[in-house]
Amino acid sequence: MAFFKRLTSNCMKGLLVVTVAAGLLAGAPAVQADAIWDQWKAAESAVKRGKPEEAVPHWKFLVEHYVSIGDWQSAALFCGSLDEYYDSIQDYENAIYYYELENEYWLKFGKDWGAVDIQRAEQIRTIADVYMSSPDEDTVRRQAAPKNGKLAKFEPEYGMYIGLYSEQDPAMQNNFTKSEALYGKKHALYLAYSPYDTAFPKQYATRAKEAGSALQIAWEPSKGLDSVQDDAHLREWARAAKASGIPIFLRYASEMNGNWVVWHGDPQKYIEKFRLVHDVMAQEAPNVAMVWSPGDVPAYSMDVYYPGDEYVDWVGVSLYTEPYENGDPAQSNMQATSPIERLDSLYKTYADRKPIMISETAVSHYAHIPQESFTDYGLLNLQRLYEIMPLKYPRLKSITYFNVDLKNRESRNNYLLGANEAMKALYSKMIAAPYYLTKVEQGAKPSDRTGHVKLSVSGENIFARKTKLTPWVKIPDIYIGKIDYSINGEIIRTETGPPFGFELDAGDVPDGASLKLEVYNRSGSKAASRTFSLSSQVSVAIDGKLQSYEQPPIIKEGSTLAPLRAIFESVGAAVSWDASTQTATGRKGNTTVSLKIGDRKAVKNGQTIELEVPAQLINGFTLAPARFVGEAFGGELQWDGKSRTVQIQTTDKGKATSQMNSIPSNLSELPGTISSVEETARQILNDSPSSGNSMLTQEQKPDSLESGWLIQLKLSFNMAQRSFKAVASFIYRLLPNSFL
């Protein structure tokens, strides 16, 4: 691990102001030079008089002038005057505009001196976005996929591997199997450091294998790039990696864009050696994925070291979040900087092609130099790192936490989760979700098949049954006092600290609802507000299995209309459509039902059934009252208002299960009753044609639809008879002895 001491460009910019002043008139016509000089003097005079607002029009004039003649250096300097002024009066919108413009002009001048301006622009940018959990696998998979559609080695389809560097954690060290006991969950990979010129770190691999995990190896050529050769050492190392039998992420010569490592400074040689290592691993160790991993700073010097798409499996980055630059209050105050924007540049450059991993990261909760606790800062940014970044950046598919207290070295920050109970509890709570993957395997995905989508401000946002809303909120005041969530003007939830976000049931959200997010700073002033449309849709579950239909049910005029063809076919009925009469007909066994669009009557086996509302054509689909559709072929229909789900039970076993589940839980307190009822219910459920000890296994199998119908009738009668006996037995046991 290494930390880069950022050199601010303020001193350099100050010297350039003098240079610009000295050469202000060079090459300009006399009349024009006088006008430019007058603008310069007027701006200077206003600042000296303590009236910087009067300098603003002069600075704007000078920016436009120097842009017109292609003097990017001078244009950048005067943008700097404007962004600092607007920042000082908290006109953040204009400040951001000129910070970004200053950075643009420095880049045109050939310098990266605008990096600090972009950083400041992000610090004061107000953000109020909301993400929603979604089971729509097609959408979730699509936004997490590479542009060419082909997953890299060990890349999950979606979801994120959790990783840990634990060697300097006193509670865990390299006992990787302790992860579940300490944090409630296994980790997918563990980080180990290894010098290039030593043997393969077999002991780390052994421990990872015991834990059912993969290994990330930070492989460092500490003797320089020339020590890396295609020789016996490299080949033996690769063969040992293969023999480990686990997935290995090889982070070779990372942070190469920083001058604190000996392999920095020669991009061509670096690329040559990276490609060499890749080729040897491809030949000897197919279980090794090559990770190219620069530091997040300096951002503008990393691209020249990129070895090429064919040599890189994953793109990683080292990225730390700390309250002071390098842990030193005498340097920049970094409390307004979140980890999120620091990934942005790298993500935009490489995520279309490669999966992204944060190969080394941490959030400080204590700064040792000033001896300040930063728990609130730590919690705020730990949630941003683990919950917000994967939502904003769906191609981010692995994060490894550097779990260390650097009390007496390097950044002098405490990142150790175990040293702060609140940090540890938040970390454990976040990674418990299925989205955080615990096993490295090709095409892995969360067990609940759920991802996240960003709420649209202008479009529709629709969910089914239940969703989790997670806000990404950032304000110039840094710390958030509270967030109010309202639906249709009524506050439904207030949060005063991380983790921000909550679950919302479909029944709490009427069609066409409005969700409003209001963010307040700690002084109680409103800092941000945003409104989104939000609706929940009606779901259908058949025999407990949630269905997915192209046209979901809708509620119209107080009645639930369900897709007739889709549900009929789900229960095994054949459906036909007569376009001339606009009549839909379903057939299953000896049952035939039909109904006509716009008619309040349906026909079942010749008998007329009155409908709540007429069948309708919606988006080209026939929708009819849900109760009629669900019960047309003998199903039983129930409505779950909390999740807005139409529940249809079609099988006898399903109905019996539903009946058993409906027994009140407080009956368990009655001695001698519930166990016998449960046993009776089990006998009912197990006494089916598929059970080896069932009476019904000897029944004759149907040889026609007619005989099948008769046998089904007999089975239903037998089931009803046994259910009646079970209920009678249950009631008998409840009666007091004196009554008997």
Side-chain angles (χ1 to χ4, degrees):
M1 173 186 173
F3 289 87
F4 174 67
K5 184 176 181 179
R6 301 176 183 90
L7 299 175
T8 62
S9 57
N10 292 339
C11 293
M12 182 62 70
K13 292 177 185 178
L15 291 172
L16 284 172
V17 171
V18 177
T19 305
V20 171
L24 184 65
L25 308 179
V31 176
Q32 184 186 21
D34 287 343
I36 299 167
W37 182 243
D38 288 344
Q39 296 282 349
W40 177 288
K41 288 191 298 182
E44 246 188 3
S45 173
V47 172
K48 286 179 180 178
R49 287 185 285 108
K51 299 285 187 178
E53 67 275 8
E54 295 178 5
V56 169
H58 304 296
W59 286 331
K60 289 183 177 179
F61 174 90
L62 291 166
V63 169
E64 292 173 4
H65 166 71
Y66 287 116
V67 168
S68 70
I69 64 174
D71 184 347
W72 306 116
Q73 171 184 296
S74 301
L77 287 169
F78 287 111
C79 279
S81 298
L82 286 162
D83 55 41
E84 289 175 8
Y85 166 72
Y86 283 121
D87 199 344
S88 70
I89 65 170
Q90 298 185 355
D91 182 349
Y92 295 127
E93 186 175 344
N94 273 311
I96 291 168
Y97 173 78
Y98 282 104
Y99 277 128
E100 292 178 340
L101 207 56
E102 182 183 357
N103 175 64
E104 179 185 334
Y105 294 155
W106 282 127
L107 291 175
K108 289 183 176 181
F109 182 58
K111 303 294 182 182
D112 65 355
W113 295 338
V116 291
D117 302 300
I118 290 297
Q119 183 180 81
R120 181 56 185 164
E122 293 301 334
Q123 288 178 342
I124 60 177
R125 192 186 305 277
T126 296
I127 296 172
D129 292 330
V130 177
Y131 292 84
M132 176 175 70
S133 63
S134 172
D136 181 356
E137 265 206 287
D138 288 341
T139 298
V140 171
R141 188 186 296 113
R142 185 168 55 252
Q143 67 183 10
K147 195 171 184 178
N148 65 6
K150 183 180 179 182
L151 296 177
K153 185 179 291 187
F154 305 139
E155 181 180 352
E157 204 167 354
Y158 59 97
M160 191 182 78
Y161 295 137
I162 45 174
L164 195 66
Y165 175 65
S166 63
E167 190 164 24
Q168 297 180 54
D169 174 2
M172 187 171 175
Q173 298 181 323
N174 286 330
N175 298 311
F176 301 150
T177 54
K178 287 186 176 182
S179 170
E180 199 163 3
L182 289 171
Y183 300 108
K185 195 168 186 177
K186 293 170 59 179
H187 282 62
L189 61 141
Y190 294 91
L191 170 60
Y193 291 86
S194 180
Y196 174 83
D197 55 347
T198 60
F200 176 79
K202 184 177 179 180
Q203 70 279 17
Y204 292 101
T206 300
R207 290 179 181 269
K209 191 170 187 177
E210 290 172 353
S213 304
L215 196 64
Q216 182 201 152
I217 300 177
W219 206 24
E220 302 180 334
S222 52
K223 293 183 179 179
L225 291 171
D226 288 333
S227 66
V228 180
Q229 303 290 334
D230 186 356
D231 54 15
H233 168 70
L234 179 56
R235 295 281 173 174
E236 288 170 7
W237 198 99
R239 293 181 189 119
K242 179 183 179 181
S244 70
I246 61 172
I248 292 175
F249 295 92
L250 185 57
R251 180 161 60 109
Y252 167 76
S254 62
E255 301 179 15
M256 77 302 297
N257 54 320
N259 60 9
W260 57 89
V261 295
V262 298
W263 47 91
H264 167 79
D266 189 340
Q268 290 307 311
K269 182 177 287 188
Y270 176 88
I271 289 172
E272 173 193 331
K273 299 301 182 179
F274 191 102
R275 291 178 175 181
L276 169 64
V277 172
H278 166 275
D279 291 345
V280 171
M281 295 301 155
Q283 295 167 20
E284 303 282 2
N287 59 317
V288 168
M290 293 295 296
V291 181
W292 177 74
S293 185
D296 74 307
V297 290
Y300 295 103
S301 62
M302 64 173 67
D303 296 342
V304 294
Y305 287 90
Y306 187 62
D309 289 349
E310 61 270 41
Y311 298 96
V312 174
D313 294 307
W314 288 65
V315 168
V317 65
S318 297
L319 184 157
Y320 286 81
T321 305
E322 54 200 31
Y324 300 114
E325 191 169 301
N326 303 307
D328 186 359
Q331 298 185 44
S332 298
N333 187 318
M334 302 292 290
Q335 292 177 56
T337 299
S338 85
I340 297 177
E341 60 266 20
R342 293 171 61 183
L343 182 65
D344 203 61
S345 178
L346 178 138
Y347 188 89
K348 288 177 179 176
T349 304
Y350 298 103
D352 276 354
R353 297 172 278 163
K354 300 295 174 182
I356 305 298
M357 70 161 53
I358 301 180
S359 43
E360 185 180 305
T361 189
V363 177
S364 171
H365 57 78
Y366 189 87
H368 285 291
I369 294 177
Q371 297 185 352
E372 287 184 66
S373 176
F374 283 94
T375 296
D376 288 349
Y377 171 88
L379 294 173
L380 184 67
N381 286 292
L382 189 65
Q383 189 197 8
R384 289 170 172 175
L385 179 65
Y386 274 89
E387 283 199 338
I388 307 302
M389 292 185 78
L391 310 189
K392 180 176 172 62
Y393 304 115
R395 296 277 297 142
L396 173 60
K397 297 190 174 182
S398 181
I399 295 181
T400 295
Y401 193 83
F402 192 79
N403 204 23
V404 177
D405 180 5
L406 293 174
K407 182 176 182 179
N408 298 312
R409 60 190 177 94
E410 294 166 304
S411 78
R412 305 287 298 277
N413 276 288
N414 191 348
Y415 307 110
L416 188 64
L417 296 169
N420 187 303
E421 283 303 316
M423 292 283 285
K424 182 180 177 183
L426 176 59
Y427 178 80
S428 300
K429 182 178 181 179
M430 290 187 298
I431 67 170
Y435 190 83
Y436 302 91
L437 306 172
T438 59
K439 185 175 180 58
V440 172
E441 54 189 352
Q442 194 69 34
K445 52 188 174 182
S447 58
D448 65 354
R449 302 297 190 263
T450 297
H452 306 84
V453 294
K454 184 178 179 180
L455 291 191
S456 168
V457 176
S458 57
E460 287 188 319
N461 302 293
I462 303 173
F463 72 96
R465 295 174 65 86
K466 176 184 287 189
T467 190
K468 182 183 179 186
L469 298 179
T470 305
W472 159 217
V473 174
K474 186 165 71 69
I475 57 177
D477 306 275
I478 305 172
Y479 297 103
I480 296 166
K482 70 169 181 173
I483 301 177
D484 283 341
Y485 306 87
S486 302
I487 290 183
N488 292 345
E490 181 181 347
I491 294 177
I492 60 167
R493 186 177 179 88
T494 295
E495 295 178 324
T496 58
F500 297 108
F502 66 102
E503 287 189 336
L504 193 62
D505 290 314
D508 297 327
V509 182
D511 289 333
S514 173
L515 170 72
K516 189 173 186 179
L517 185 76
E518 294 177 293
V519 185
Y520 297 82
N521 61 21
R522 285 186 168 176
S523 66
S525 299
K526 187 184 292 187
S529 177
R530 206 162 190 196
T531 302
F532 308 86
S533 66
L534 188 65
S535 295
S536 64
Q537 69 181 28
V538 177
S539 302
V540 175
I542 297 178
D543 295 333
K545 184 178 180 182
L546 194 64
Q547 306 296 303
S548 178
Y549 300 133
E550 189 175 351
Q551 170 60 56
I554 64 170
I555 292 180
K556 196 168 184 179
E557 299 175 6
S559 295
T560 302
L561 299 176
L564 182 142
R565 176 183 290 274
I567 294 179
F568 277 9
E569 290 180 346
S570 295
V571 300
V575 181
S576 61
W577 169 253
D578 186 338
S580 62
T581 61
Q582 290 202 307
T583 300
T585 301
R587 293 180 177 84
K588 181 182 179 183
N590 291 327
T591 301
T592 299
V593 296
S594 64
L595 74 170
K596 185 177 181 180
I597 299 300
D599 197 339
R600 294 183 67 96
K601 299 181 186 297
V603 177
K604 179 177 179 180
N605 288 346
Q607 294 184 342
T608 300
I609 299 173
E610 194 76 24
L611 302 179
E612 302 164 20
V613 293
Q616 302 177 38
L617 272 179
I618 296 177
N619 298 325
F621 296 89
T622 301
L623 271 68
R627 182 163 300 280
F628 166 77
V629 175
E631 297 178 348
F633 294 102
E636 290 183 1
L637 185 142
Q638 291 182 335
W639 170 250
D640 181 352
K642 183 178 180 181
S643 65
R644 298 188 82 197
T645 301
V646 175
Q647 297 179 336
I648 301 171
Q649 293 289 348
T650 67
T651 64
D652 290 335
K653 186 172 181 177
K655 294 172 188 176
T657 302
S658 178
Q659 291 166 4
M660 186 179 74
N661 289 338
S662 68
I663 295 174
S665 59
N666 60 0
L667 289 182
S668 61
E669 299 172 4
L670 299 175
T673 62
I674 192 66
S675 60
S676 60
V677 172
E678 286 181 341
E679 181 59 31
T680 304
R682 287 193 192 96
Q683 291 175 4
I684 294 172
L685 295 178
N686 291 331
D687 195 9
S688 65
S690 60
S691 303
N693 59 355
S694 172
M695 294 170 54
L696 301 179
T697 55
Q698 304 304 316
E699 297 283 0
Q700 180 182 352
K701 293 183 179 179
D703 54 9
S704 68
L705 289 176
E706 290 75 14
S707 61
W709 174 78
L710 289 172
I711 291 174
Q712 183 60 46
L713 179 63
K714 183 177 180 180
L715 292 178
S716 298
F717 175 81
N718 289 339
M719 178 68 76
Q721 186 182 42
R722 285 192 294 277
S723 297
F724 175 80
K725 289 179 180 179
V727 173
S729 174
F730 172 66
I731 294 173
Y732 179 82
R733 289 173 177 271
L734 291 178
L735 295 175
N737 292 332
S738 59
F739 184 79
L740 297 175

